[in-house]
Amino acid sequence: ARVVVLLLLLAPLLLSTAEEHSVCEHCKHPAWSWDTVGNMAFTHTCNTSGLWSDEAVTVLSRFPMVNIERFMGQHKACFEKHRSQWGPPGGWLNKTHGTPACSYATNDPAPVGCNCTVEEAPLGLTHDASGVFVEDFALAAMKQLKAKNPNISTIFYHDSARMWTNDQPGGLGRVPTQTTKYWNPTVFGAHDKVVSQHPGWLLRNSSGGYVWDSYANNHVFDMTQRDVQTLWVSVCLNATLSGYADGCFADWSPSIVSRWNITNATAWLVGHDSAFVALTALLGNGTLIANGGINKNTNAFMIECFMPAGYMQIAEGVAAGKIVQARTNYYAAAKNPDVRDALAGFLLGTGPGAYFSGPYAWQIAQTWSDPLGIEDVKRRWLPEFDKPLGEALGPALFDNSTQLATRKFSSGTHVVFNHSNNQGTIHWADGTITQGPGCATDATKCISCSPPTYKECH
């Protein structure tokens, strides 16, 4: 099937050019097998200070699937310019909590001597403007991974509602007033071109003004317009044209239209769904991942806050033929599950197309002693990923009288999950055991939903 879509050439970005696109023929369906847990693992990450080091590539290329987050490389120049001022302890890195840009000090003024400005901007807009954008850094990172492992499936980040541009204002929503006009470090070249060349494609509220989404004072795609749906689809397709991307991660798939004060919310949601359907078809064997749970309009979804006892959602996705990314909950602070409990829960629900990730940040953690974040990259590949698993001998079985769920695998590995305290235990075929701590003994509350029993510790 061939469809006419708007082609956004990455360099230069010409929004007025239309080209005929075929279904992506080289987009790879991610590899998956029962052999080991590593064959059903993924990670979603990036390096904000530049491209991957060789050591990072060696680890990341072991994953069957890697999502590249939108922050990739956005502080490259600042990191290079001020790297010597990060350490030893007490240096800038401590104030910026690991962000390579010294201008992003948390609850502190920028360190003395810091003169970093936004880099992802047209040349001349800021002191450090590079003319290089999210698209460029993400594809360069994927190229590194493909060079090491041509069979890896690489996923390009593209928000399904919010736009990332140079004109995002400060002082609105949850973004405090900024000291500089161009403060947003994350900019898609394609999005920024829309602002200057096609402002009519930006969503407006009931008063006629621009919608600024409160997440980061973002413009929003006006998905009621067919041209805008085509634009959004094309940004992802252009990434695949490079040969380095096999699909896209559509962030904010369950968009909250109620906070935009618009009169055409239903039409916006219909257009949003239509764009998903069109892109999924055009990706062929590639992958369109919607966050926020199973999505009827895509061939994949991410459980962004996977809790160990929620394994039935994985099983349901597998049964529906979807690719499922289960990312262990990262947002609940002290209530986050232990990765060992989460892995046990994942194994109860896994099947062809299901992938697991621990509770790791969207970007690698960098410290003064580990400025390239190698230790964070290494910990994403758990030791358990190398253990033999074998095909499941059946679905997970739940015993209401004992509150235990169990599952066995052909290698001899078997999993026991105790729903009374959310504790997972994996008995590996080699005789070793992986056991999580489950709920803390002082947990005061459990939320129980069935079937089967689902409990979260509080």
Side-chain angles (χ1 to χ4, degrees):
R2 297 178 73 84
V3 244
V4 176
V5 298
L6 186 70
L7 174 61
L8 300 178
L9 298 175
L10 292 179
L13 291 156
L14 302 174
L15 298 182
S16 59
T17 302
E19 295 285 343
E20 194 176 47
H21 274 268
S22 300
V23 171
C24 182
E25 295 182 356
H26 66 264
C27 289
K28 290 184 181 298
H29 190 84
W32 188 97
S33 84
W34 288 106
D35 294 345
T36 65
V37 182
N39 285 316
M40 51 181 80
F42 84 100
T43 192
H44 183 129
T45 189
C46 69
N47 174 18
T48 62
S49 63
L51 294 181
W52 298 116
S53 66
D54 290 342
E55 194 171 2
V57 168
T58 297
V59 177
L60 293 171
S61 62
R62 298 187 68 188
F63 288 92
M65 182 163 46
V66 174
N67 305 353
I68 299 297
E69 177 62 32
R70 59 184 164 84
F71 310 129
M72 187 76 197
Q74 67 183 20
H75 299 311
K76 179 178 181 289
C78 191
F79 175 75
E80 292 172 349
K81 182 164 48 176
H82 294 295
R83 181 170 173 177
S84 63
Q85 293 162 283
W86 274 30
W92 288 3
L93 189 68
N94 301 74
K95 284 193 172 186
T96 62
H97 296 264
T99 301
C102 57
S103 53
Y104 282 78
T106 303
N107 299 322
D108 282 305
V112 174
C114 173
N115 59 359
C116 294
T117 58
V118 168
E119 300 169 31
E120 292 183 348
L123 293 174
L125 187 67
T126 68
H127 177 72
D128 295 306
S130 63
V132 177
F133 299 91
V134 171
E135 298 96 321
D136 305 289
F137 279 121
L139 292 175
M142 294 175 190
K143 181 180 180 180
Q144 289 182 284
L145 298 179
K146 289 281 191 181
K148 185 72 173 179
N149 177 9
N151 293 319
I152 194 172
S153 178
T154 49
I155 305 298
F156 175 82
Y157 174 102
H158 193 218
D159 201 302
S160 69
R162 299 169 300 212
M163 302 172 68
W164 297 90
T165 60
N166 284 124
D167 68 331
Q168 291 172 222
L172 300 175
R174 68 180 188 180
V175 179
T177 301
Q178 302 296 308
T179 57
T180 178
K181 180 178 180 180
Y182 305 110
W183 63 270
N184 171 40
T186 308
V187 180
F188 282 78
H191 298 185
D192 212 49
K193 287 286 187 178
V194 170
V195 174
S196 60
Q197 296 184 12
H198 291 277
W201 291 357
L202 305 173
L203 187 64
R204 292 180 178 269
N205 58 32
S206 60
S207 300
Y210 289 131
V211 167
W212 298 105
D213 185 81
S214 59
Y215 180 81
N217 301 349
N218 311 76
H219 283 296
V220 174
F221 293 106
D222 185 355
M223 287 292 194
T224 66
Q225 300 185 53
R226 184 64 178 269
D227 284 346
V228 179
Q229 298 167 32
T230 300
L231 159 71
W232 183 83
V233 168
S234 297
V235 174
C236 178
L237 288 179
N238 285 340
T240 68
L241 285 175
S242 68
Y244 304 129
D246 298 297
C248 287
F249 176 80
D251 200 2
W252 225 46
S253 298
S255 299
I256 309 172
V257 296
S258 59
R259 72 190 198 185
W260 297 335
N261 187 28
I262 58 176
T263 58
N264 51 357
T266 299
W268 191 95
L269 291 169
V270 169
H272 187 251
D273 287 349
S274 296
F276 277 22
V277 170
L279 180 54
T280 300
L282 283 165
L283 286 173
N285 288 327
T287 308
L288 179 58
I289 303 167
N291 69 333
I294 196 165
N295 191 303
K296 66 180 181 180
N297 301 309
T298 69
N299 59 5
F301 68 97
M302 176 188 281
I303 307 170
E304 195 169 314
C305 303
F306 174 64
M307 296 295 281
Y311 56 84
M312 288 302 296
Q313 190 176 6
I314 298 173
E316 290 165 4
V318 170
K322 304 281 188 178
I323 291 172
V324 184
Q325 291 187 334
R327 175 180 178 266
T328 306
N329 196 2
Y330 170 77
Y331 299 115
K335 298 176 184 177
N336 279 333
D338 185 274
V339 68
R340 293 165 292 184
D341 294 319
L343 179 58
F346 170 80
L347 290 177
L348 292 177
T350 192
Y355 298 84
F356 176 79
S357 169
Y360 310 121
W362 303 118
Q363 66 275 355
I364 58 173
Q366 297 169 271
T367 65
W368 67 270
S369 59
D370 182 27
L372 297 180
I374 299 302
E375 292 308 311
D376 182 69
V377 172
K378 287 180 176 178
R379 72 182 179 132
R380 292 168 186 255
W381 185 269
L382 298 173
E384 287 82 358
F385 287 0
D386 293 312
K387 292 184 177 292
L389 185 64
E391 188 169 352
L393 300 180
L397 302 175
F398 177 67
D399 187 331
N400 191 58
S401 63
T402 63
Q403 293 289 291
L404 298 180
T406 57
R407 196 179 194 190
K408 296 180 179 180
F409 299 85
S410 62
S411 67
T413 294
H414 70 279
V415 179
V416 179
F417 190 85
N418 188 338
H419 279 270
S420 65
N421 63 357
N422 267 358
Q423 185 178 46
T425 305
I426 308 170
H427 299 268
W428 298 100
D430 62 8
T432 59
I433 296 175
T434 296
Q435 185 174 61
C439 290
T441 55
D442 60 351
T444 58
K445 180 183 178 182
C446 279
I447 300 173
S448 180
C449 310
S450 58
T453 305
Y454 180 105
K455 291 185 177 180
E456 294 183 8
C457 306
H458 289 263

